[in-house]
Amino acid sequence: MLCDVTTPQDLDDRFRETLAALPAAERRRDPADPVTDDAPLTGAQVLDLFDAQVTSRQLDLAGRWLRSFGEGFYTIGSAGHEGNAAVAAALRPTDPALLHYRSGAFYCLRAAQAAAAAPSEPGSSGGPAATGDPAPTAGPATYSDRGPSTYPAPTADAESTADSDPSGPAPASTSGGGFDAYADAARDVLRGMVASSEEPIAGGRHKVFGRADLAVVPTTSTIASHLPRAVGMGLAVERLRRLDSAGRRTGGGVRVGSGAGVAHVPWPPDAIVVCSFGDASVNHASATAAFNTAGWYDHAGLRIPVLFVCEDNGLGISVRSPEGWVEATLRAKPGIRYFSADGADPVRTYEVAAEAAAWVRRNRRPAVLHLRTVRLMGHAGADAESAYRSPAELAEDLDRDPVVATARLLVDAGVATGEELLARYDETGWQVRRLAEEVLGEPKLASAADVVSALAPRRPVRVARAVADAAARAGGPGAAARAEAFGGKPPELTGPLTLAQSINAALADGMLDHPQMAVFGEDVAAKGGVYGVTKGLRDRFGPARVFDTLLDETSVLGLGLGAGLAGMLPVPEIQYLAYLHNAEDQLRGEAATMRFFSQGAFRNPMVVRVAGLAYQEGFGGHFHNDNSVAVLRDVPGLVVAVPARPDDAAPMLRTCLASAAVDGSVCVFLEPIALYHTRDLYADGDGEWMAGYPEPGAWVAGHVPIGRARVYRVGSADDLTIITFGNGVRMSLRAAAVLAEEGVGTRVVDLRWLAPLPVADIIRESSATGRVLVVDETRRSGGVGEGVIAALVDAGYVGAARRVAGVDSFVPLGPAARHVLVSMDAITDGARTLLAR
């Protein structure tokens, strides 16, 4: 029945019947000739596409087979989307790609391209030369701007006549290698399906399309969350390409800076970024952000070479995209060139994709390729399409099967017969089934330690060494440049600094030591930040390294994600903590997962500066006074730093920058707004909340490792331990002074790091007094204090403990805030109650 025709068995039967019924052409055509008289593809190249498509189709069938007996864990397939193989053929294997989960044929073709372009002899260059000159390949193909030299360039239109001259590298043909050309890709995909720990990119943690040697960046969601990253990658590739210093190009990529500040960009300088997604994702806020950012920068004259590929099958699981909506939406995006093709026509898809890729490569501007596809076998294995699609709709999609369309083209052209193509299909199916049986016996991740091993490596010794090396450079060969950057008066000579001034100086030192570092966000450049924290940085380091972004936190973080992946050290600013929450998935789902799902093959180092927490005087409301940090502490592997004092801020920021550079860490540097310009501690004019900035020679001694607290001792420090952070440090020290007058000795523990918590320091300092007061300016429910108490319980702490925390409320405007936030009086009262037990 037609209502069941999208089951694996029926799809296979229908394919076989169709191929068997195809009449042979009157004459055979040489595969080296164009597949039709006016086609840009030879018969052999269309056979390459067919093999990639068939491999992808057989992988989909194998996924359903594995799932049928409980050995497969992923059944979202690419059936109906195999036209994307022609898109891969139009690109270079060195163009970084972020792929939709229906991009199986693209992935297979990319793997074959890379294999064909591999070095033919030891020591030869397998990739394109950095200068764009032709590079040696394993086969006879040469490079042109449109694809393999045997792929003639499509006719340029009036807007892209500059593209008609071939220049620069392009992918080599797969040269009709049969299944052998796709075996590695098929094994990769099958290993992902069975969660094999030998899967080359995610190691059994997820089924993704990704491999560093194929320039395929793994994405774990296709609900558009990877699109902002793609824009960031494009911006970074173009910025690094334009750097004009000598020696910055080397090998197949761009090399920036010197010494410990070197960043290696893994793609050629004229690479473009390709990013595929489904039609339903057009409606997602992340997609809107990405398109808007690409268009905004294009309108502003900045170049972002990104090719978006919308694979439009008309459905988001069961929800239909209204007829014409996707095209109207994509055509309306300002600053983004629109191209379209029918994925069931491999020749036309290649022509349009090659034209689009060449336009983006030549003009360094964004474009979108609207690729019309169909979806066969439903959304996934458990999806019963008959519940929401009619038999006529299913039959119509089957008539547009792209693999059948490619087979029909080959048969009509006389390149092959239906029987010959069916033999290729069966041979591929047998090989895929053989590989599936092989990977079934491969090991799975066997322990929690195995699972988290790739999450967020911590190498504190290397980080400390990086800080020491930075100090040596700043005090030695870089001393003159440092003095010049600070106008002849480095910050250690300016006297005590506030928290904001200390962060500003540390950012400047970071920019000096990390040539690939960039500071960006809303209002950070010309204005110098809402609170002046980035004041003067643009004047010192230029608009290419300190720049304003549009007002969209998703895009700000997306730019950081892409820039880090491209080899930069991004330091984006989120203007207020409350503004982070509409974009937090860029941290959780994209940033923190990159190492986890690539076993460290890819990383996106980043230090996100966030102005946050409460207690601002005269400027209130929950948007500018936000104490919600639970979402940050819940992200595995994320580093969350909260500097309270100026003399902690600089070393903690240096540690975060070093950790990002050394370990690829994603750090959130949460800066207490109310303490930015605070000068006094106990009394007006005492200046005790300010601190001097250390000279480079003191950076090593003052190094603050991730996860280490700071302890202040007041009086005997034997009676009470107060554990706190941020604004709580200043309030607790003031409370401790009051308690000291009552004969109570207190040790105040500044956590400094909310993730990972300094558990060893918490336990040691709590056990020293046996009485613990946790002062938590976040909320009682989901606040930091819960983690501190849990750490004590887990460690077997048997002393007394009490919490003083914010009320479970948003922060209201004006004096009302005092009713829901922690106060110094609440701390002293809590301490007295605890001491009275």
Side-chain angles (χ1 to χ4, degrees):
M1 296 292 292
L2 280 176
C3 64
D4 299 320
V5 80
T6 55
T7 64
Q9 184 62 52
D10 287 334
L11 184 63
D12 181 67
D13 289 345
R14 173 69 175 257
F15 184 80
R16 293 175 177 281
E17 292 168 5
T18 302
L19 260 64
L22 292 176
E26 293 183 1
R27 64 181 182 85
R28 295 296 294 240
R29 182 183 296 264
D30 187 339
D33 292 337
V35 69
T36 61
D37 292 341
D38 59 348
L41 300 175
T42 67
Q45 290 167 332
V46 176
L47 278 171
D48 285 343
L49 296 181
F50 179 77
D51 286 339
Q53 292 176 328
V54 165
T55 302
S56 179
R57 178 66 58 84
Q58 292 288 5
L59 286 168
D60 289 351
L61 299 177
R64 302 299 180 96
W65 174 69
L66 289 165
R67 182 69 183 91
S68 69
F69 54 91
E71 290 290 346
F73 307 102
Y74 194 92
T75 55
I76 296 177
S78 304
H81 283 242
E82 292 93 348
N84 56 40
V87 179
L91 295 160
R92 303 175 184 172
T94 52
D95 288 329
L98 298 92
L99 297 181
H100 181 244
Y101 50 34
R102 300 196 190 280
S103 298
F106 184 114
Y107 184 75
C108 290
L109 202 290
R110 170 63 66 91
Q113 284 177 321
S120 56
E121 297 178 5
S124 66
S125 173
T131 59
D133 295 329
T137 70
T142 59
Y143 291 109
S144 77
D145 205 30
R146 300 288 185 167
S149 61
T150 48
Y151 289 44
T155 302
D157 62 20
E159 293 187 67
S160 58
T161 54
D163 299 330
S164 59
D165 294 329
S167 65
S173 170
T174 61
S175 303
F179 181 74
D180 287 347
Y182 306 101
D184 287 344
R187 188 180 289 106
D188 293 346
V189 174
L190 290 166
R191 282 171 162 164
M193 289 177 179
V194 302
S196 166
S197 61
E198 295 182 13
E199 192 272 332
I201 190 71
R205 293 169 181 83
H206 197 40
K207 190 273 180 189
V208 296
F209 292 120
R211 252 177 53 190
D213 61 323
L214 302 182
V216 177
V217 179
T219 63
T220 60
S221 170
T222 55
I223 315 302
S225 63
H226 58 305
L227 271 66
R229 180 198 293 276
V231 175
M233 290 168 64
L235 181 66
V237 165
E238 186 61 11
R239 281 181 178 271
L240 294 174
R241 186 181 79 91
R242 290 174 176 270
L243 290 175
D244 58 359
S245 294
R248 288 183 178 180
R249 292 185 181 182
T250 177
V254 179
R255 203 164 184 84
V256 184
S258 60
V262 167
H264 184 259
V265 184
W267 310 300
D270 62 345
I272 68 173
V273 179
V274 60
C275 178
S276 61
F277 57 98
D279 55 288
S281 293
V282 165
N283 306 297
H284 198 279
S286 295
T288 298
F291 292 135
N292 185 66
T293 301
W296 188 88
Y297 275 114
D298 187 77
H299 185 78
L302 298 176
R303 298 306 181 217
I304 298 184
V306 176
L307 177 61
F308 298 103
V309 180
C310 178
E311 299 185 14
D312 181 5
N313 62 31
L315 289 162
I317 305 184
S318 66
V319 179
R320 304 172 192 271
S321 293
E323 184 66 30
W325 170 251
V326 175
E327 178 176 351
T329 299
L330 295 176
R331 281 187 179 276
K333 300 300 183 185
I336 300 178
R337 177 77 175 270
Y338 176 85
F339 297 85
S340 66
D342 181 358
D345 182 344
V347 172
R348 184 57 183 159
T349 294
Y350 173 80
E351 286 180 319
V352 175
E355 181 184 357
W359 188 87
V360 173
R361 197 180 311 278
R362 182 79 63 186
N363 296 289
R364 317 307 292 172
R365 297 177 64 190
V368 60
L369 170 59
H370 182 194
L371 186 65
R372 292 172 177 84
T373 66
V374 295
R375 190 184 72 189
L376 305 177
M377 293 196 296
H379 173 72
D383 182 28
E385 288 193 287
S386 57
Y388 55 89
R389 301 187 75 191
S390 69
E393 287 177 292
L394 298 175
E396 185 178 346
D397 274 4
L398 278 166
D399 289 340
R400 296 189 61 240
D401 184 338
V403 188
V404 170
T406 304
R408 184 176 286 114
L409 172 64
L410 289 165
V411 173
D412 289 349
V415 176
T417 65
E419 291 79 6
E420 290 169 345
L421 296 180
L422 187 57
R424 293 173 86 105
Y425 175 80
D426 284 337
E427 172 65 16
T428 297
W430 180 85
Q431 295 283 7
V432 167
R433 182 67 63 89
R434 176 182 61 81
L435 288 176
E437 292 176 353
E438 288 180 6
V439 301
L440 277 176
E442 292 182 350
K444 308 291 192 291
L445 294 168
S447 67
D450 288 345
V451 172
V452 303
S453 61
L455 178 61
R458 296 277 179 264
R459 294 180 289 186
V461 174
R462 293 192 183 186
V463 170
R465 186 182 304 128
V467 171
D469 290 344
R473 287 188 292 271
R482 183 170 183 265
E484 181 181 355
F486 283 108
K489 193 173 184 180
E492 59 266 25
L493 301 181
T494 60
L497 305 181
T498 63
L499 180 69
Q501 291 169 334
S502 183
I503 294 171
N504 177 276
L507 285 170
D509 269 325
M511 297 284 280
L512 288 166
D513 194 59
H514 299 278
Q516 75 275 28
M517 178 175 158
V519 173
F520 53 90
E522 301 160 23
D523 301 305
V524 303
K527 184 179 177 65
V530 172
Y531 296 95
V533 180
T534 57
K535 185 177 181 179
L537 293 181
R538 187 184 70 165
D539 294 339
R540 295 177 191 172
F541 300 102
R545 298 186 64 196
V546 182
F547 56 93
D548 289 322
T549 65
L550 71 176
L551 197 154
D552 177 56
E553 286 72 29
T554 294
S555 296
V556 171
L557 293 176
L559 291 175
L561 288 168
L565 199 65
M568 297 178 69
L569 181 55
V571 184
E573 178 188 287
I574 301 298
Q575 201 165 80
Y576 290 100
L577 178 58
Y579 299 173
L580 174 68
H581 301 307
N582 59 38
E584 59 200 21
D585 187 56
Q586 291 295 298
L587 287 179
R588 186 205 68 84
E590 292 292 319
T593 61
M594 180 52 69
R595 289 193 68 102
F596 185 71
F597 289 123
S598 71
Q599 302 185 94
F602 292 99
R603 62 186 207 165
N604 36 222
M606 187 163 60
V607 179
V608 185
R609 293 182 47 252
V610 183
L613 303 176
Y615 299 98
Q616 290 191 78
E617 294 292 337
F619 189 53
H622 74 285
F623 270 117
H624 303 105
N625 287 269
D626 183 25
N627 56 357
S628 301
V629 301
V631 67
L632 296 173
R633 295 190 62 246
D634 185 56
V635 178
L638 193 69
V639 174
V640 181
V642 183
R645 286 184 51 84
D647 47 351
D648 278 332
M652 290 174 69
L653 182 55
R654 275 192 288 273
T655 296
C656 287
L657 292 172
S659 183
V662 170
D663 290 330
S665 301
V666 180
C667 305
V668 173
F669 201 71
L670 182 57
E671 302 165 6
I673 296 172
L675 298 178
Y676 268 150
H677 305 301
T678 297
R679 307 173 74 86
D680 306 322
L681 175 55
Y682 299 113
D684 291 346
D686 68 17
E688 293 197 30
W689 201 253
M690 301 175 71
Y693 190 88
E695 59 158 339
W699 292 1
V700 173
H703 173 58
V704 178
I706 291 175
R708 290 302 308 272
R710 178 174 181 175
V711 182
Y712 301 85
R713 289 174 170 79
V714 181
S716 66
D718 293 332
D719 301 312
L720 174 69
T721 300
I722 298 178
I723 299 177
T724 188
F725 64 95
N727 294 287
V729 178
R730 183 169 181 268
M731 289 188 291
S732 295
L733 287 171
R734 290 164 64 94
V738 172
L739 293 170
E741 294 177 357
E742 300 172 8
V744 177
T746 306
R747 52 186 68 199
V748 176
V749 179
D750 178 4
L751 294 171
R752 298 195 293 197
W753 307 92
L754 303 188
L757 280 172
V759 174
D761 296 329
I762 290 171
I763 295 167
R764 184 189 65 249
E765 298 302 323
S766 299
S767 300
T769 64
R771 296 185 185 89
V772 177
L773 181 67
V774 180
V775 176
D776 181 5
E777 65 176 289
T778 61
R779 301 163 189 168
R780 294 192 66 84
S781 299
V784 176
E786 289 183 342
V788 174
I789 295 295
L792 290 171
V793 172
D794 288 346
Y797 173 76
V798 294
R802 183 180 177 86
R803 275 196 300 161
V804 176
V807 174
D808 288 345
S809 169
F810 298 106
V811 180
L813 191 66
R818 299 169 189 163
H819 300 301
V820 298
L821 295 173
V822 172
S823 66
M824 192 188 86
D825 288 343
I827 297 171
T828 55
D829 290 346
R832 291 175 184 130
T833 301
L834 187 60
L835 291 163
R837 288 185 179 179

